[in-house]
Amino acid sequence: PVMSRPPSARQGRTPTVRRVTIDDLPRIPEVFSLSLAPDGTRLAFVVETADEPANRLRHRLLVLELDEAGGRRGPVRTIVRGSAKLGQPRWSPDGSRLAYVDDRGGSPQLWTWVTATDVRQPLTTHPAGVGSPAWSPDGTHVAVIADAAQHLDDPVPIEETDPRRRVVRVTGHRH
């Protein structure tokens, strides 16, 4: 692999080409968790970059508008900035909302972004955190996977009392 630096418009020089070294790796962003909207007009994804002075990773959830041919239409939009557990974007079936996981409050929780109003709101407050969001086909519910306890013999931390939420417990499984 090679890296190049674009020429300066004022200086009119050609780019410098050199081999990638281990020192370059923190400056190369990683793109993951891609999610295409059902109508194909938007792509949500997460970009991870290294913040070398702070010695931590930074994440941004971005949305790219796409034209009919799948090309870029307009600027890339930052939906939210987060830390290590920002990711897993999933579009609602009608494309009006984007569910994602963010650990801004400590443990990873489910959030939604409403495209029409630009509102972001948390949907869960599970003490051990949640992940793997999946929309119901009609877009009225989002299912998540949550740990019932941190260790095998720990009691379940909280029983759900909100009538809008239904908890389904798996008490055993087979491989």
Side-chain angles (χ1 to χ4, degrees):
V2 296
M3 289 187 72
S4 66
R5 298 182 185 196
S8 168
R10 284 180 252 130
Q11 297 171 352
R13 294 187 296 186
T14 58
T16 303
V17 178
R18 63 178 178 76
R19 292 203 175 276
V20 174
T21 69
I22 192 78
D23 295 330
D24 295 319
L25 294 179
R27 291 184 284 282
I28 299 173
E30 181 179 345
V31 177
F32 59 95
S33 288
L34 283 79
S35 180
L36 185 64
D39 64 2
T41 62
R42 287 170 292 184
L43 178 68
F45 58 98
V46 176
V47 173
E48 176 185 88
T49 54
D51 180 348
E52 290 182 84
N55 194 29
R56 50 185 304 191
L57 296 173
R58 305 282 183 193
H59 293 84
R60 290 180 299 148
L61 174 58
L62 306 169
V63 170
L64 174 63
E65 299 284 332
L66 302 172
D67 62 23
E68 300 79 32
R72 180 177 171 172
R73 184 182 73 198
V76 177
R77 180 168 181 201
T78 299
I79 304 307
V80 66
R81 295 175 191 275
S83 56
K85 298 290 182 180
L86 176 62
Q88 303 178 39
R90 305 289 187 271
W91 290 101
S92 62
D94 66 359
S96 67
R97 293 166 291 159
L98 183 68
Y100 60 94
V101 175
D102 191 353
D103 67 344
R104 72 178 62 202
S107 62
Q109 300 298 329
L110 181 67
W111 287 69
T112 58
W113 170 58
V114 181
T115 60
T117 60
D118 199 30
V119 171
R120 294 150 193 83
Q121 64 184 20
L123 294 185
T124 61
T125 56
H126 193 280
V130 303
S132 303
W135 288 92
S136 64
D138 64 0
T140 59
H141 298 85
V142 184
V144 294
I145 295 175
D147 286 333
Q150 295 294 330
H151 300 25
L152 183 61
D153 293 328
D154 287 350
V156 174
I158 293 178
E159 283 297 323
E160 185 58 64
T161 58
D162 186 337
R164 297 171 298 166
R165 297 179 181 151
R166 182 170 52 149
V167 176
V168 178
R169 297 201 191 289
V170 177
T171 57
H173 69 279
R174 283 189 228 200
H175 292 281

